[in-house]
Coordinates of all heavy atoms in Angstrom, one line a residue:
M10 N -3.4 -3.5 -15.2 CA -2.0 -3.7 -15.0 C -1.3 -2.4 -14.4 O -0.2 -2.4 -13.8 CB -1.3 -3.9 -16.4 CG -1.8 -5.3 -17.0 SD -1.3 -6.7 -15.9 CE 0.5 -6.7 -16.0
R11 N -2.2 -1.4 -14.5 CA -1.7 -0.2 -13.8 C -1.5 -0.2 -12.4 O -0.5 0.2 -11.7 CB -2.6 1.1 -14.0 CG -2.2 2.4 -13.3 CD -3.3 3.4 -13.7 NE -4.7 3.1 -13.1 CZ -4.9 3.2 -11.6 NH1 -4.0 3.5 -10.8 NH2 -6.0 2.8 -11.2
L12 N -2.3 -1.0 -11.6 CA -2.2 -1.2 -10.3 C -1.0 -2.2 -9.9 O -0.3 -2.0 -9.0 CB -3.5 -1.8 -9.6 CG -4.6 -0.8 -9.3 CD1 -5.8 -1.5 -8.8 CD2 -4.1 0.2 -8.2
T13 N -0.7 -3.0 -10.7 CA 0.4 -4.0 -10.6 C 1.7 -3.3 -10.6 O 2.6 -3.2 -9.9 CB 0.4 -5.2 -11.6 OG1 -0.8 -5.9 -11.6 CG2 1.6 -6.0 -11.4
A14 N 1.8 -2.3 -11.6 CA 2.9 -1.4 -11.8 C 3.0 -0.6 -10.5 O 4.2 -0.3 -9.9 CB 2.9 -0.6 -13.0
E15 N 1.9 0.0 -10.0 CA 1.9 0.8 -8.8 C 2.4 0.0 -7.7 O 3.1 0.6 -6.8 CB 0.6 1.5 -8.6 CG 0.5 2.4 -7.5 CD 1.4 3.7 -7.7 OE1 2.0 3.9 -8.7 OE2 1.6 4.4 -6.6
L16 N 1.9 -1.2 -7.6 CA 2.4 -2.1 -6.4 C 3.9 -2.1 -6.5 O 4.5 -2.0 -5.3 CB 1.7 -3.5 -6.6 CG 2.2 -4.6 -5.6 CD1 1.8 -4.1 -4.1 CD2 1.5 -5.8 -6.0
F17 N 4.4 -2.5 -7.5 CA 6.0 -2.6 -7.6 C 6.6 -1.3 -7.1 O 7.7 -1.3 -6.4 CB 6.4 -3.0 -8.9 CG 6.2 -4.5 -9.2 CD1 5.2 -5.0 -10.2 CD2 6.9 -5.4 -8.4 CE1 5.0 -6.3 -10.4 CE2 6.5 -6.8 -8.6 CZ 5.7 -7.2 -9.6
R18 N 6.1 -0.1 -7.5 CA 6.6 1.2 -7.2 C 6.5 1.3 -5.7 O 7.6 1.8 -5.1 CB 5.9 2.3 -8.0 CG 6.4 3.6 -7.6 CD 5.7 4.8 -8.5 NE 4.5 5.1 -7.9 CZ 4.3 6.3 -7.2 NH1 5.2 7.1 -7.0 NH2 3.1 6.5 -6.7
I19 N 5.5 1.1 -5.1 CA 5.4 1.1 -3.7 C 6.3 0.1 -2.9 O 6.9 0.5 -1.9 CB 3.9 0.8 -3.2 CG1 3.1 2.1 -3.7 CG2 3.7 0.8 -1.6 CD1 1.4 1.8 -3.6
L20 N 6.3 -1.1 -3.4 CA 7.2 -2.2 -2.7 C 8.6 -1.7 -2.8 O 9.4 -1.9 -1.9 CB 6.9 -3.4 -3.4 CG 5.7 -4.1 -3.2 CD1 5.5 -5.5 -3.8 CD2 5.3 -4.3 -1.6
E21 N 9.1 -1.1 -4.0 CA 10.4 -0.6 -4.1 C 10.8 0.5 -2.9 O 11.7 0.5 -2.4 CB 10.7 0.0 -5.3 CG 10.9 -1.2 -6.5 CD 11.0 -0.7 -7.8 OE1 11.4 0.5 -8.0 OE2 11.0 -1.5 -8.8
R22 N 9.7 1.5 -2.8 CA 10.0 2.5 -1.8 C 10.0 1.9 -0.5 O 10.9 2.3 0.3 CB 8.8 3.6 -1.9 CG 8.8 4.4 -3.1 CD 7.5 5.3 -3.0 NE 7.6 6.2 -4.0 CZ 8.0 7.6 -3.8 NH1 8.3 8.0 -2.7 NH2 7.9 8.4 -4.8
F23 N 9.2 0.9 -0.1 CA 9.2 0.5 1.2 C 10.5 -0.3 1.5 O 11.1 -0.2 2.4 CB 7.9 -0.5 1.4 CG 6.7 0.3 1.7 CD1 6.5 1.6 1.4 CD2 5.6 -0.4 2.3 CE1 5.3 2.2 1.6 CE2 4.4 0.2 2.5 CZ 4.3 1.5 2.3
A24 N 10.8 -1.1 0.5 CA 12.2 -2.0 0.5 C 13.4 -1.0 0.8 O 14.3 -1.4 1.7 CB 12.3 -2.9 -0.6
S25 N 13.3 0.1 0.2 CA 14.5 1.1 0.2 C 14.6 1.6 1.6 O 15.6 2.2 2.1 CB 14.4 2.1 -0.8 OG 13.4 2.9 -0.5
E26 N 13.5 1.7 2.3 CA 13.4 2.2 3.7 C 13.5 1.0 4.8 O 13.3 1.2 5.9 CB 12.2 3.0 3.9 CG 12.1 4.2 3.0 CD 13.2 5.2 3.5 OE1 13.5 5.4 4.8 OE2 13.7 5.9 2.6
G27 N 13.6 -0.3 4.2 CA 13.7 -1.4 5.3 C 12.4 -1.8 5.8 O 12.3 -2.3 6.9
I28 N 11.2 -1.3 5.2 CA 9.9 -1.8 5.7 C 9.4 -3.0 5.0 O 9.2 -3.1 3.7 CB 8.9 -0.5 5.4 CG1 9.3 0.6 6.1 CG2 7.5 -1.1 5.7 CD1 8.3 1.8 5.8
A29 N 9.3 -4.1 5.8 CA 8.9 -5.5 5.3 C 7.4 -5.4 4.9 O 6.7 -4.7 5.8 CB 9.2 -6.5 6.4
T30 N 7.0 -5.8 3.9 CA 5.6 -5.8 3.5 C 5.2 -7.0 2.9 O 5.7 -7.9 2.2 CB 5.5 -4.8 2.2 OG1 6.3 -3.5 2.6 CG2 4.1 -4.3 1.8
L31 N 3.9 -7.4 3.4 CA 3.2 -8.5 2.8 C 2.1 -8.0 2.0 O 1.1 -7.3 2.4 CB 2.7 -9.4 4.0 CG 2.0 -10.6 3.7 CD1 2.8 -11.7 2.9 CD2 1.3 -11.4 4.8
V32 N 2.2 -8.6 0.7 CA 1.0 -8.3 -0.2 C -0.2 -9.3 -0.2 O 0.3 -10.6 -0.3 CB 1.4 -8.1 -1.6 CG1 0.4 -7.7 -2.6 CG2 2.6 -7.1 -1.7
I33 N -1.3 -8.9 0.0 CA -2.4 -9.9 -0.1 C -3.5 -9.4 -1.1 O -3.6 -8.3 -1.5 CB -3.1 -10.0 1.4 CG1 -3.6 -8.6 1.9 CG2 -2.0 -10.6 2.3 CD1 -4.4 -8.8 3.1
K34 N -4.2 -10.5 -1.5 CA -5.3 -10.2 -2.4 C -4.7 -9.5 -3.9 O -3.5 -9.7 -4.1 CB -6.4 -9.5 -2.0 CG -7.1 -10.1 -0.6 CD -8.3 -9.5 -0.2 CE -8.1 -8.2 0.4 NZ -9.3 -7.6 0.8
G35 N -5.6 -8.9 -4.5 CA -5.2 -8.3 -5.8 C -4.4 -9.0 -6.8 O -4.6 -10.2 -7.0
P36 N -3.3 -8.4 -7.1 CA -2.4 -9.0 -8.2 C -1.7 -10.3 -7.7 O -1.6 -11.3 -8.6 CB -1.3 -8.0 -8.6 CG -1.5 -7.0 -7.6 CD -2.8 -7.0 -6.9
V37 N -1.4 -10.3 -6.4 CA -0.7 -11.6 -5.9 C -1.7 -12.7 -5.9 O -1.3 -13.9 -6.4 CB -0.4 -11.4 -4.5 CG1 0.3 -12.7 -3.8 CG2 0.9 -10.3 -4.4
L38 N -3.0 -12.6 -5.6 CA -4.0 -13.6 -5.6 C -4.2 -14.0 -7.1 O -4.4 -15.3 -7.3 CB -5.3 -13.1 -5.0 CG -6.4 -14.2 -5.1 CD1 -6.1 -15.5 -4.3 CD2 -7.7 -13.5 -4.5
A39 N -4.2 -13.1 -8.0 CA -4.4 -13.5 -9.4 C -3.2 -14.4 -9.9 O -3.5 -15.2 -10.7 CB -4.6 -12.2 -10.3
V40 N -2.0 -14.0 -9.5 CA -0.9 -14.9 -10.0 C -0.9 -16.1 -9.3 O -0.8 -17.2 -10.0 CB 0.5 -14.0 -9.6 CG1 1.6 -15.0 -9.8 CG2 0.5 -12.9 -10.5
Q41 N -1.3 -16.3 -8.1 CA -1.4 -17.5 -7.5 C -2.5 -18.4 -8.0 O -2.2 -19.7 -8.2 CB -1.5 -17.4 -6.0 CG -0.2 -16.9 -5.3 CD -0.5 -16.7 -3.8 OE1 -1.5 -16.6 -3.2 NE2 0.7 -16.8 -3.0
A42 N -3.6 -17.8 -8.2 CA -4.7 -18.6 -8.8 C -4.7 -18.9 -10.2 O -5.1 -19.9 -10.6 CB -6.1 -17.8 -8.3
Y43 N -4.3 -17.9 -10.9 CA -4.3 -18.0 -12.4 C -3.0 -17.9 -13.1 O -3.0 -18.1 -14.3 CB -5.3 -17.0 -13.1 CG -6.7 -16.8 -12.3 CD1 -7.0 -15.8 -11.4 CD2 -7.6 -17.8 -12.5 CE1 -8.3 -15.8 -10.8 CE2 -8.8 -17.9 -11.8 CZ -9.1 -16.7 -11.0 OH -10.2 -16.7 -10.4
G44 N -2.0 -17.6 -12.5 CA -0.7 -17.5 -13.1 C -0.5 -16.2 -13.8 O 0.6 -16.1 -14.5
D45 N -1.4 -15.3 -13.8 CA -1.4 -14.0 -14.5 C -2.0 -12.9 -13.8 O -3.3 -13.0 -13.5 CB -2.0 -14.2 -15.9 CG -1.8 -12.9 -16.7 OD1 -1.6 -11.9 -16.3 OD2 -2.1 -13.1 -18.0
P46 N -1.4 -11.8 -13.4 CA -2.1 -10.7 -12.6 C -3.2 -10.0 -13.5 O -4.0 -9.3 -12.7 CB -1.0 -9.7 -12.2 CG 0.0 -10.0 -13.3 CD 0.0 -11.4 -13.7
A47 N -3.2 -10.2 -14.7 CA -4.3 -9.4 -15.6 C -5.5 -10.2 -15.7 O -6.6 -9.7 -16.2 CB -3.7 -9.2 -17.0
I48 N -5.6 -11.5 -15.2 CA -6.8 -12.2 -15.4 C -7.9 -11.9 -14.4 O -9.0 -12.0 -14.7 CB -6.4 -13.8 -15.2 CG1 -5.4 -14.1 -16.3 CG2 -7.6 -14.7 -15.2 CD1 -5.6 -15.4 -17.1
R49 N -7.5 -11.6 -13.2 CA -8.5 -11.2 -12.2 C -8.5 -9.7 -11.9 O -7.5 -9.1 -11.8 CB -8.0 -11.8 -10.8 CG -9.0 -11.6 -9.7 CD -8.5 -12.3 -8.3 NE -9.4 -12.0 -7.2 CZ -9.2 -10.9 -6.5 NH1 -8.2 -10.0 -6.6 NH2 -10.0 -10.7 -5.4
S50 N -9.7 -9.1 -12.0 CA -9.7 -7.7 -11.8 C -9.6 -7.4 -10.2 O -10.2 -8.2 -9.4 CB -11.1 -7.1 -12.5 OG -12.2 -7.6 -11.7
Y51 N -9.1 -6.1 -10.0 CA -9.1 -5.7 -8.6 C -9.0 -4.1 -8.7 O -8.6 -3.6 -9.8 CB -7.8 -6.3 -7.9 CG -6.6 -6.4 -8.8 CD1 -5.8 -5.3 -8.8 CD2 -6.3 -7.5 -9.5 CE1 -4.6 -5.3 -9.6 CE2 -5.1 -7.5 -10.3 CZ -4.3 -6.5 -10.3 OH -3.1 -6.6 -11.0
G52 N -9.4 -3.5 -7.6 CA -9.5 -2.0 -7.8 C -8.7 -1.4 -6.7 O -8.7 -0.1 -6.6
D53 N -8.0 -2.2 -5.8 CA -7.2 -1.6 -4.8 C -6.0 -2.5 -4.6 O -5.9 -3.6 -5.0 CB -7.8 -1.3 -3.6 CG -8.5 -2.4 -2.9 OD1 -8.3 -3.6 -3.4 OD2 -9.0 -2.3 -1.8
L54 N -5.1 -2.1 -3.7 CA -4.0 -2.9 -3.2 C -4.1 -3.0 -1.7 O -4.3 -2.1 -1.1 CB -2.5 -2.3 -3.7 CG -2.4 -2.0 -5.1 CD1 -1.2 -1.1 -5.5 CD2 -2.3 -3.3 -5.9
D55 N -3.7 -4.2 -1.2 CA -3.8 -4.6 0.1 C -2.4 -4.9 0.7 O -1.9 -5.9 0.2 CB -4.8 -5.7 0.4 CG -6.2 -5.2 0.2 OD1 -6.8 -4.4 1.0 OD2 -6.8 -5.7 -0.9
L56 N -1.8 -4.1 1.5 CA -0.6 -4.4 2.1 C -0.5 -4.5 3.7 O -1.3 -3.8 4.2 CB 0.5 -3.3 1.7 CG 0.5 -2.9 0.3 CD1 1.3 -1.6 0.1 CD2 1.1 -3.9 -0.6
L57 N 0.2 -5.4 4.1 CA 0.5 -5.5 5.6 C 1.8 -5.0 5.9 O 2.8 -5.4 5.2 CB 0.2 -6.9 6.1 CG -1.2 -7.5 5.9 CD1 -1.2 -9.0 6.4 CD2 -2.3 -6.8 6.7
V58 N 1.9 -4.2 7.0 CA 3.3 -3.8 7.4 C 3.2 -3.9 9.0 O 2.1 -3.8 9.6 CB 3.7 -2.4 6.9 CG1 3.8 -2.4 5.6 CG2 2.7 -1.4 7.4
R59 N 4.3 -4.0 9.6 CA 4.5 -4.1 11.1 C 3.9 -2.7 11.6 O 4.1 -1.6 11.0 CB 5.9 -4.2 11.5 CG 6.4 -5.6 11.2 CD 7.8 -5.6 11.7 NE 8.4 -6.9 11.3 CZ 9.3 -7.0 10.2 NH1 9.7 -5.9 9.7 NH2 9.8 -8.1 9.9
Q60 N 3.3 -2.8 12.8 CA 2.7 -1.7 13.5 C 3.8 -0.6 13.7 O 3.7 0.6 13.5 CB 2.1 -2.0 14.9 CG 1.5 -1.0 15.5 CD 0.3 -0.2 14.7 OE1 -0.5 -1.1 14.1 NE2 0.2 1.1 14.6
A61 N 5.1 -1.1 13.9 CA 6.2 -0.3 14.2 C 6.6 0.6 13.0 O 7.2 1.6 13.0 CB 7.3 -1.0 14.7
D62 N 6.2 0.2 11.7 CA 6.5 0.8 10.5 C 5.4 1.7 9.9 O 5.4 2.2 8.9 CB 6.8 -0.3 9.5 CG 8.2 -1.0 9.8 OD1 9.0 -0.4 10.4 OD2 8.3 -2.1 9.4
I63 N 4.2 1.7 10.6 CA 3.1 2.4 10.1 C 3.4 3.9 9.8 O 2.9 4.4 8.9 CB 1.9 2.3 11.1 CG1 1.3 0.9 11.1 CG2 0.6 3.2 10.8 CD1 0.8 0.4 9.7
R64 N 3.9 4.5 10.8 CA 4.2 6.0 10.6 C 5.1 6.2 9.4 O 4.8 7.1 8.6 CB 4.8 6.7 11.8 CG 5.1 8.1 11.7 CD 5.8 8.9 12.8 NE 5.3 10.2 13.0 CZ 5.5 11.2 12.2 NH1 6.1 10.9 11.0 NH2 5.1 12.4 12.5
R65 N 6.2 5.6 9.3 CA 7.1 5.7 8.0 C 6.5 5.2 6.8 O 6.5 6.0 5.7 CB 8.4 4.8 8.3 CG 9.5 5.0 7.3 CD 10.0 6.5 7.3 NE 10.9 6.7 6.2 CZ 10.8 7.8 5.4 NH1 9.9 8.8 5.6 NH2 11.6 8.0 4.3
A66 N 5.7 4.2 6.9 CA 4.9 3.8 5.6 C 4.0 4.9 5.2 O 3.8 5.1 4.1 CB 4.1 2.5 5.9
T67 N 3.3 5.5 6.2 CA 2.3 6.6 6.0 C 3.0 7.7 5.3 O 2.7 8.3 4.3 CB 1.5 7.0 7.2 OG1 0.9 5.9 7.7 CG2 0.7 8.2 6.8
E68 N 4.3 8.1 5.8 CA 5.1 9.2 5.1 C 5.5 8.9 3.7 O 5.4 9.7 2.8 CB 6.3 9.4 6.0 CG 6.1 10.0 7.4 CD 7.4 10.0 8.3 OE1 8.4 9.1 8.0 OE2 7.3 10.7 9.3
L69 N 5.8 7.7 3.6 CA 6.2 7.1 2.1 C 5.0 7.2 1.2 O 5.2 7.6 0.0 CB 6.8 5.9 2.1 CG 8.2 5.7 2.9 CD1 8.7 4.3 2.9 CD2 9.2 6.5 1.9
M70 N 3.9 6.8 1.8 CA 2.6 6.8 0.9 C 2.3 8.2 0.5 O 1.9 8.5 -0.6 CB 1.5 6.0 1.6 CG 1.6 4.6 1.6 SD 1.8 3.8 0.0 CE 0.1 3.9 -0.5
S71 N 2.4 9.2 1.5 CA 2.1 10.6 1.2 C 3.1 11.1 0.1 O 2.7 11.8 -0.7 CB 2.2 11.4 2.5 OG 1.2 10.9 3.4
A72 N 4.4 10.8 0.3 CA 5.4 11.2 -0.7 C 5.2 10.6 -2.1 O 5.5 11.3 -3.0 CB 6.7 10.9 -0.2
A73 N 4.5 9.5 -2.1 CA 4.2 8.8 -3.3 C 2.9 9.4 -4.0 O 2.6 9.0 -5.1 CB 4.1 7.4 -3.3
G74 N 2.3 10.3 -3.4 CA 1.2 11.1 -3.9 C -0.2 10.5 -3.5 O -1.3 10.8 -4.0
Y75 N -0.2 9.9 -2.3 CA -1.4 9.3 -1.7 C -1.8 10.2 -0.5 O -1.1 10.7 0.3 CB -1.3 7.9 -1.3 CG -1.2 6.9 -2.4 CD1 0.0 6.7 -3.0 CD2 -2.3 6.3 -3.0 CE1 0.1 5.9 -4.2 CE2 -2.1 5.5 -4.0 CZ -1.0 5.2 -4.7 OH -0.9 4.5 -5.7
A76 N -3.3 10.3 -0.3 CA -3.8 11.0 0.8 C -4.1 10.0 1.9 O -4.8 9.1 1.6 CB -4.9 11.9 0.5
A77 N -3.6 10.2 3.1 CA -3.8 9.3 4.1 C -5.1 9.5 4.8 O -5.4 10.7 5.2 CB -2.7 9.3 5.2
A78 N -5.9 8.5 5.1 CA -7.3 8.8 5.9 C -7.0 8.8 7.4 O -7.7 9.5 8.2 CB -8.1 7.6 5.7
V79 N -5.9 8.3 7.9 CA -5.4 8.4 9.3 C -4.2 9.3 9.2 O -3.2 9.1 8.7 CB -5.1 7.1 9.8 CG1 -4.7 7.2 11.3 CG2 -6.3 6.1 9.8
L80 N -4.4 10.4 10.0 CA -3.3 11.5 10.0 C -2.2 11.0 10.8 O -2.3 10.3 11.8 CB -3.9 12.8 10.4 CG -5.1 13.4 9.7 CD1 -5.5 14.6 10.3 CD2 -4.6 13.7 8.3
L81 N -1.0 11.6 10.6 CA 0.2 11.3 11.3 C 0.1 11.8 12.8 O 0.6 10.9 13.6 CB 1.4 12.0 10.7 CG 1.9 11.4 9.5 CD1 3.1 12.3 8.9 CD2 2.5 10.1 9.5
T82 N -0.7 12.7 13.0 CA -1.0 13.2 14.4 C -1.6 12.2 15.2 O -1.4 11.8 16.4 CB -1.7 14.6 14.6 OG1 -2.8 14.4 13.7 CG2 -0.7 15.6 14.0
A83 N -2.6 11.4 14.5 CA -3.2 10.4 15.1 C -2.4 9.1 15.3 O -2.5 8.4 16.5 CB -4.5 9.9 14.3
I84 N -1.6 8.8 14.4 CA -0.6 7.7 14.6 C 0.3 8.1 15.8 O 0.5 7.2 16.6 CB 0.2 7.4 13.2 CG1 -0.8 7.0 12.2 CG2 1.4 6.5 13.5 CD1 -0.3 6.9 10.8
D85 N 0.8 9.2 15.8 CA 1.8 9.7 16.9 C 1.0 9.6 18.3 O 1.6 9.3 19.3 CB 2.2 11.1 16.6 CG 3.3 11.0 15.5 OD1 3.7 10.1 15.1 OD2 3.5 12.3 15.0
A86 N -0.3 9.8 18.2 CA -1.0 9.8 19.5 C -1.3 8.4 19.9 O -2.0 8.2 21.0 CB -2.2 10.7 19.4
G87 N -1.0 7.5 19.2 CA -1.2 6.0 19.5 C -2.6 5.5 19.2 O -3.1 4.5 19.6
K88 N -3.3 6.3 18.2 CA -4.7 5.8 17.9 C -4.5 4.9 16.8 O -4.1 5.3 15.7 CB -5.5 7.0 17.5 CG -5.9 8.0 18.5 CD -6.5 9.3 18.2 CE -6.8 10.1 19.5 NZ -7.3 11.4 19.1
I89 N -4.7 3.6 17.0 CA -4.4 2.5 16.0 C -5.7 1.9 15.6 O -6.4 1.2 16.2 CB -3.5 1.5 16.7 CG1 -2.2 2.1 17.3 CG2 -3.2 0.4 15.7 CD1 -1.4 1.2 18.3
P90 N -6.1 2.3 14.3 CA -7.4 1.8 13.8 C -7.2 0.4 13.3 O -8.2 -0.3 13.1 CB -7.8 2.8 12.7 CG -6.4 3.3 12.3 CD -5.6 3.3 13.5
G91 N -6.0 -0.1 13.0 CA -6.0 -1.4 12.5 C -5.9 -1.5 10.9 O -5.4 -2.4 10.4
Q92 N -6.5 -0.4 10.3 CA -6.7 -0.3 8.9 C -6.3 1.2 8.6 O -6.9 2.0 9.0 CB -8.0 -0.7 8.4 CG -8.1 -0.6 6.9 CD -9.5 -1.2 6.4 OE1 -9.9 -2.2 6.9 NE2 -10.1 -0.4 5.4
Y93 N -5.4 1.3 7.7 CA -4.9 2.6 7.2 C -5.3 2.7 5.7 O -4.7 2.0 5.0 CB -3.5 2.8 7.4 CG -3.1 2.8 9.0 CD1 -3.0 1.5 9.6 CD2 -3.1 3.9 9.7 CE1 -2.7 1.4 11.0 CE2 -2.7 3.8 11.1 CZ -2.6 2.6 11.7 OH -2.3 2.5 13.1
L94 N -6.2 3.7 5.3 CA -6.6 3.8 4.0 C -5.8 4.9 3.3 O -5.7 5.9 4.0 CB -8.0 4.0 3.9 CG -9.0 2.9 4.4 CD1 -10.4 3.3 4.5 CD2 -8.7 1.5 3.8
F95 N -5.5 4.8 2.1 CA -4.9 5.9 1.4 C -5.6 5.9 -0.1 O -6.0 4.9 -0.7 CB -3.4 5.4 1.0 CG -2.6 5.3 2.2 CD1 -2.6 4.1 2.9 CD2 -2.0 6.4 2.7 CE1 -1.7 4.0 4.0 CE2 -1.2 6.3 3.9 CZ -1.1 5.1 4.6
S96 N -5.8 7.1 -0.4 CA -6.5 7.5 -1.7 C -5.5 8.1 -2.6 O -4.8 9.0 -2.2 CB -7.7 8.4 -1.5 OG -8.7 7.8 -0.6
S97 N -5.6 7.9 -3.9 CA -4.6 8.5 -4.9 C -5.1 10.0 -5.0 O -6.3 10.2 -5.3 CB -4.8 7.8 -6.2 OG -3.9 8.4 -7.2
R98 N -4.1 10.9 -5.1 CA -4.5 12.2 -5.3 C -4.4 12.5 -6.9 O -4.8 13.5 -7.3 CB -3.4 13.1 -4.6 CG -3.4 13.2 -3.1 CD -2.3 14.0 -2.6 NE -2.2 13.9 -1.2 CZ -1.2 14.0 -0.5 NH1 -0.1 14.1 -1.1 NH2 -1.1 13.7 0.8
I99 N -3.8 11.5 -7.5 CA -3.8 11.7 -9.0 C -5.0 11.1 -9.7 O -5.3 9.9 -9.4 CB -2.4 10.9 -9.5 CG1 -1.2 11.5 -8.9 CG2 -2.4 11.0 -10.9 CD1 0.0 10.7 -9.0
Q100 N -5.7 11.9 -10.4 CA -6.9 11.4 -11.2 C -6.5 11.0 -12.5 O -5.8 11.7 -13.2 CB -7.8 12.4 -11.2 CG -8.4 13.1 -9.8 CD -9.0 12.0 -9.1 OE1 -9.9 11.2 -9.5 NE2 -8.7 11.8 -7.7
N101 N -6.9 9.8 -13.1 CA -6.6 9.3 -14.2 C -7.8 9.7 -15.3 O -8.8 9.7 -15.0 CB -6.5 7.8 -14.3 CG -5.2 7.4 -13.5 OD1 -4.3 8.0 -13.5 ND2 -5.3 6.2 -12.8

């Protein structure tokens, strides 16, 4: 349930900045398949955002305490890997 709460926190941040987000797999799949996000286990969150929003989304994720695998300098240089990974800096 911690990841579900984190998902809502991230979605609120993105929405406040006008970044449209599509959530796939994880808690959304659990709700669609079982009606309850706690029934299916998951270890990460998968979000889709428009390419035009990648830089701002990366900034927001960094401000939320996540370390980006793809640096802003690479995004600015147009190096588009198609997948942008973020790791939590906060250890539980």
